[in-house]
Amino acid sequence: VIALCNQKGGVGKTTSAINLGAALAECGRRVLLVDFDPQGALSVGLGVQPHQLDRTVYNLLMERGVGIDDVLLKTAVTGIDLLPSNIDLSAGEVQLVNEVAREQTLARALAPVLADYDYVLIDCQPSLGLLTVNALTAAHGVIIPLECEYFSLRGVALLMDTIDKVRERLNPALVLDGILATLYDGRTLHGREVFARVVE
């Protein structure tokens, strides 16, 4: 289970999740993509219209009678299934606050199907709120898609701090799989300098 995580928007989390999922599926792996962003971009990218759905990952988290099989969708890509999301999920962040063991809600919801997949990729929303903490608690690893520009680099320290806290308090097995440099332009000095700092 890998969370693609960065509190900065527009850094390529969703694009990376879709393409990584497609590449793994092409290699014959069974992949579950979890859209954990209320904007639902991952769902749209896989040809699903999120505003037309009766049930999404929000219902799975918040409604007792809803199981993962009620929400899971097959996609047009062989080997890839999807847990879709839409704007309803933005209410989930507020409602989860009152739940018992609220940080483990996603992990509990995914547990029944983990054995069915080789990889589960969670596309997080651009924030460090309770939804992202849920994703990090459910994950074995984190990939940080990082745009090669200065302000993106600044935010990574904050994200690393969050990852450390989750590891300390909720998920000791969590590892940083790596930083994925995105939107890299090697023709600019700025791009090359930021990339060098990331490697460092």
Side-chain angles (χ1 to χ4, degrees), residues 87-106:
I87 198 68
D88 293 350
L89 187 59
S90 55
E93 186 122 39
V94 180
Q95 290 168 285
L96 275 173
V97 170
N98 302 315
E99 293 289 312
V100 176
R102 58 193 180 198
E103 297 89 356
Q104 281 101 3
T105 309
L106 179 63

Side-chain angles (χ1 to χ4, degrees), residues 40-137:
L42 180 71
S43 303
V44 172
L46 287 163
V48 173
Q49 292 307 317
H51 56 276
Q52 294 173 0
L53 296 171
D54 292 330
R55 284 180 170 161
T56 64
V57 72
Y58 166 78
N59 305 91
L60 176 62
L61 296 182
M62 302 312 305
E63 295 172 19
R64 281 194 190 286
V66 177
I68 195 162
D69 292 329
D70 301 323
V71 183
L72 209 59
L73 298 177
K74 299 275 176 216
T75 69
V77 184
T78 307
I80 295 183
D81 291 344
L82 170 69
L83 274 182
S85 166
N86 63 19
I87 198 68
D88 293 350
L89 187 59
S90 55
E93 186 122 39
V94 180
Q95 290 168 285
L96 275 173
V97 170
N98 302 315
E99 293 289 312
V100 176
R102 58 193 180 198
E103 297 89 356
Q104 281 101 3
T105 309
L106 179 63
R108 283 195 304 274
L110 291 175
V113 297
L114 285 184
D116 301 339
Y117 297 98
D118 300 303
Y119 289 92
V120 178
L121 304 179
I122 307 170
D123 183 28
C124 297
Q125 68 170 347
S127 91
L128 291 180
L130 195 46
L131 291 178
T132 298
V133 170
N134 258 272
L136 293 172
T137 305

